[in-house]
Amino acid sequence: TQEKQSELVRILGPGEVIGEIGLLLGLPRSASVVAKEPTTVLRLKREDLEEVMKKVPSMAFSLKELADRRLADVSRLDAFYL
């Protein structure tokens, strides 16, 4: 079996979003997150996010842009390690 090693991809700060790719695309998570200090998080169900995005279309656009950037980052990392 091939074991996948942990790898630091990004350090996030207050107010940043995680899990947007899986939530927007309905896919399983693509990464794990470890908090370095006590952290408060908001967990949304996909249905709840869809409801909010209907009411605030600019949020839907911003989340899609963020997901696109992060997917591009992952693609570059994959290409580097292949």
Side-chain angles (χ1 to χ4, degrees):
T1 60
Q2 188 179 27
E3 287 186 33
K4 196 168 189 175
Q5 292 183 316
S6 282
E7 172 181 336
L8 178 63
V9 174
R10 177 180 294 109
I11 296 176
L12 302 174
E16 295 205 54
V17 174
I18 56 172
E20 73 288 343
I21 295 169
L23 203 54
L24 289 171
L25 301 177
L27 300 172
R29 65 182 174 80
S30 59
S32 296
V33 177
V34 177
K36 294 177 84 173
E37 56 189 60
T39 304
T40 301
V41 298
L42 172 64
R43 183 177 181 174
L44 290 174
K45 293 179 187 173
R46 183 181 170 116
E47 304 82 45
D48 295 335
L49 179 63
E50 287 172 349
E51 214 33 60
V52 172
M53 289 190 305
K54 285 178 189 173
K55 294 177 182 174
V56 187
S58 61
M59 187 175 108
F61 181 78
S62 295
L63 277 176
K64 184 186 179 317
E65 280 190 323
L66 175 62
D68 289 345
R69 282 194 310 273
R70 289 192 177 163
L71 284 170
D73 289 347
V74 169
S75 293
R76 280 192 290 276
L77 278 174
D78 283 346
F80 178 77
Y81 286 106
L82 291 178

